[in-house]
Amino acid sequence: MRRLARWHGDQRVELLVLEPDCDEYYYRKYRIYSAVSLSVEAGVDEYWAAIGYEPLGDTYASMAITANVVAVTGASRGWGCWGERESEVAVFSGFPDSSTRREWRARFGPFLEVSDALDSYFPWTYKGRAAPDGYAATLTANYGPVSGQS
């Protein structure tokens, strides 16, 4: 994420938990919103400290445990990541060019294009049960191949 942020001139990486709902879950129970803003210079320890924060000392309330859907981006809005724990999907966007995207995928992957992921990873995610109606179609419509993005 730091690399994506730096390519776009961002000084910070912003992470927001979208599910469970911030108002209904985090704010109602703990009077906080589940968001983190880290410097691009932050290391692994700072990241884990931020997402592992236990509001009101509740061990099971940290973002590391409760977050089901997250969005990550920077102020430039030129890049981003959408991650879903239940379906084990993460979508990355905002690579400067296809060469950079290939290099990033090789270093941090394995990552696949949407169509390849649906053919190889998707069946394992929903093994023994049906995928939610329209999930693959929605994933393809929203994150399918776009020049320069993955």
Side-chain angles (χ1 to χ4, degrees):
M1 303 290 176
R2 295 185 312 179
R3 184 156 302 178
L4 283 164
R6 286 181 178 131
W7 285 330
H8 292 277
D10 291 328
Q11 298 301 308
R12 304 194 68 76
V13 173
E14 316 293 343
L15 181 147
L16 175 66
V17 176
L18 302 172
E19 288 181 16
D21 181 78
C22 289
D23 286 324
E24 293 299 315
Y25 181 78
Y26 293 102
Y27 191 76
R28 180 183 288 183
K29 284 184 159 183
Y30 305 105
R31 296 292 186 239
I32 64 168
Y33 285 101
S34 52
V36 172
S37 179
L38 292 169
S39 165
V40 294
E41 303 305 321
V44 172
D45 291 339
E46 288 124 320
Y47 167 78
W48 283 109
I51 69 163
Y53 169 73
E54 300 169 353
L56 302 178
D58 186 345
T59 305
Y60 298 104
S62 74
M63 287 186 279
I65 292 173
T66 60
N68 293 322
V69 177
V70 299
V72 184
T73 192
S76 68
R77 299 183 310 185
W79 65 278
C81 173
W82 174 274
E84 297 182 18
R85 184 186 308 232
E86 184 178 9
S87 58
E88 300 177 354
V89 170
V91 178
F92 294 87
S93 180
F95 298 95
D97 54 54
S98 59
S99 174
T100 303
R101 182 181 72 216
R102 279 192 303 276
E103 290 172 22
W104 189 86
R105 286 170 55 186
R107 178 165 184 204
F108 298 110
F111 295 107
L112 302 173
E113 298 297 337
V114 171
S115 60
D116 296 330
L118 288 172
D119 289 340
S120 60
Y121 294 153
F122 194 74
W124 290 101
T125 300
Y126 293 100
K127 191 172 185 169
R129 60 190 169 103
D133 290 342
Y135 186 86
T138 301
L139 187 70
T140 301
N142 290 330
Y143 303 108
V146 176
S147 179
Q149 301 210 358
S150 173

